[in-house]
Amino acid sequence: MEIPEVNRSRRRFFGTAFSAVVATQFGTTASAHLPSGGQGAAALPNVRSGGNTSSGGGASFGPLKQVAAGVLDVGYVEVGPADGRAVILMHGWPYDIHSYAEVAPLLAAEGYRAIVPYFRGHGTTRFLSNDTFRNAQQSVFALDIVALMDALKIGKAILAGYDWGSRTGDIIAALWPERCKALVSVTGYLITDREANRLPSPPKSEWAWWYQYYFATERGVLGLTENRHDLAELIWKFNSPTWDFDRATFDRTAEAFNNPDYVGIVIDNYRWRLGLAKGDPRYDGLEKRLAEGPVISVPTITVDGAYDPFTPAGDGASYRRKFSGKYAHRTLKVGHNVPQEAPRAFAEAVVEADGL
């Protein structure tokens, strides 16, 4: 399979951008429920600073900040000028905000305001009320990000992500395109079709998803609770067979799994996808719209990791029809965690998507 190159003119800039910004400090955090319009970044909300979070190699990826957004007190990092064009970078599972520890400074060097939030159940993000249903169906993650945008007075943002982050960006782009200027989506179109999930996949695909079935059992709940770090490290190695990450890199992210809601959110997410957990009836209307497989019309770049076991065959052909606007595709010689394995290429994709 031919691996397309990213735009070489972008490479010349990004070759020096990271070294110019890597020592810079940044910060932020979120609040809201259903999407609203809003325009630009006006006065900032009541944001509370936290401690720094290292990006490795002695550079600071912090400081972490918190802001109330919807049902959450969201922990996030913000990098770049406050008046820059907003980019929201969303992580997957079992990962965290440090997937973007190199991407965010590269984008900041181009003048973007890069915002990297912890999803519900991860890191310093907490539910505001003990009584809130610890729900993890697909639509609530999108509502969390829209709430964060509202809390930070961001009317429209470039959305970029992989894994859970891709799905979340896809949903916002599909349902509320007025909030999404452009989209970078790893593995293409990931909006969950629960009816399709009732049908078996080829055995090789089923084998790759072993942990989904493990989490369907009470043994799996106990296993995730007691072995969350070892299980995540095993999945990292399987998902990214060519990525030679070190212990410090993994341990830095594994701290995010100590969130008190981590196990509940992960279990509910995978059980919901398989039809084994009920969603919140308040979101039935949104899920019905998503079940129809809405087409995404915003400018989009899709990215595949050539060595990602979940990348579909066909160099993006299997999901091309789901994107009706300006579009480009990249396949990179990396695994599942694209932004951390290929940060320059991922940052370039964000800039290019913005220019489509």
Side-chain angles (χ1 to χ4, degrees):
M1 174 169 52
E2 182 180 352
I3 310 297
E5 287 289 336
V6 249
N7 187 302
R8 292 185 183 275
S9 65
R10 292 292 179 195
R11 284 193 184 281
R12 288 197 296 273
F13 179 86
F14 281 115
T16 57
F18 183 70
S19 60
V21 179
V22 72
T24 303
Q25 301 243 338
F26 4 94
T28 62
T29 307
S31 152
H33 195 57
L34 288 175
S36 63
Q39 198 65 28
L44 289 178
N46 184 19
V47 174
R48 306 182 307 287
S49 295
N52 284 350
T53 175
S54 172
S55 65
S60 174
F61 186 47
L64 268 171
K65 293 189 178 180
Q66 302 290 137
V67 67
V71 299
L72 300 174
D73 181 26
V74 179
Y76 71 103
V77 164
E78 181 172 337
V79 190
D83 61 351
R85 188 168 295 152
V87 181
I88 299 178
L89 304 169
M90 296 168 287
H91 66 82
W93 182 87
Y95 306 95
D96 84 327
I97 62 173
H98 290 94
S99 290
Y100 298 101
E102 293 184 51
V103 172
L106 289 169
L107 292 173
E110 283 243 348
Y112 289 95
R113 179 189 181 194
I115 296 164
V116 195
Y118 281 113
F119 276 142
R120 55 173 58 195
H122 293 74
T124 62
T125 292
R126 298 288 190 273
F127 286 88
L128 292 169
S129 170
N130 291 331
D131 298 328
T132 302
F133 173 29
R134 269 46 175 174
N135 183 10
Q137 67 191 93
Q138 63 181 347
S139 58
V140 298
F141 291 92
L143 290 170
D144 290 345
I145 295 300
V146 172
L148 176 61
M149 293 172 66
D150 288 346
L152 298 181
K153 305 291 194 292
I154 297 170
K156 198 169 197 175
I158 301 160
L159 304 176
Y162 69 101
D163 196 83
W164 290 18
S166 289
R167 180 172 297 106
T168 301
D170 291 351
I171 291 169
I172 296 171
L175 296 187
W176 306 293
E178 70 278 5
R179 306 304 299 269
C180 180
K181 184 183 186 301
L183 175 69
V184 175
S185 183
V186 174
T187 326
Y189 189 88
L190 290 186
I191 294 176
T192 297
D193 182 343
R194 292 215 297 175
E195 284 303 312
N197 281 354
R198 295 177 185 275
L199 302 175
S201 297
K204 187 175 180 181
S205 297
E206 298 282 21
W207 171 73
W209 289 112
W210 64 271
Y211 54 85
Q212 290 204 26
Y213 310 124
Y214 182 50
F215 294 159
T217 69
E218 291 310 302
R219 180 187 179 101
V221 175
L222 187 61
L224 180 61
T225 302
E226 294 184 356
N227 305 309
R228 66 188 72 190
H229 297 164
D230 290 350
L231 192 151
E233 186 175 15
L234 177 67
I235 292 175
W236 275 35
K237 291 176 179 177
F238 177 77
N239 287 358
S240 301
T242 62
W243 182 29
D244 187 23
F245 60 87
D246 59 23
R247 170 57 58 180
T249 298
F250 175 76
D251 287 346
R252 179 183 61 187
T253 284
E255 292 180 12
F257 310 150
N258 295 325
N259 184 298
D261 295 306
Y262 174 76
V263 172
I265 291 298
V266 173
I267 295 298
D268 191 72
N269 180 277
Y270 287 107
R271 288 186 176 184
W272 180 86
R273 292 193 213 179
L274 294 174
L276 301 176
K278 293 182 179 179
D280 189 324
R282 291 179 297 171
Y283 308 128
D284 285 352
L286 294 178
E287 295 296 350
K288 183 177 180 181
R289 292 170 64 189
L290 294 172
E292 295 170 354
V295 171
I296 293 171
S297 60
V298 305
T300 299
I301 290 181
T302 55
V303 181
D304 283 343
Y307 308 127
D308 181 351
F310 307 112
T311 291
D315 212 23
S318 64
Y319 50 72
R320 176 65 184 90
R321 70 188 186 284
K322 289 296 188 178
F323 300 94
S324 64
K326 294 179 180 179
Y327 177 87
H329 177 77
R330 305 279 182 267
T331 299
L332 304 174
K333 293 181 179 180
V334 296
H336 189 70
N337 185 359
V338 173
Q340 200 160 3
E341 295 178 63
R344 278 188 175 80
F346 192 90
E348 288 167 354
V350 170
V351 176
E352 291 181 20
D354 184 29
L356 285 178

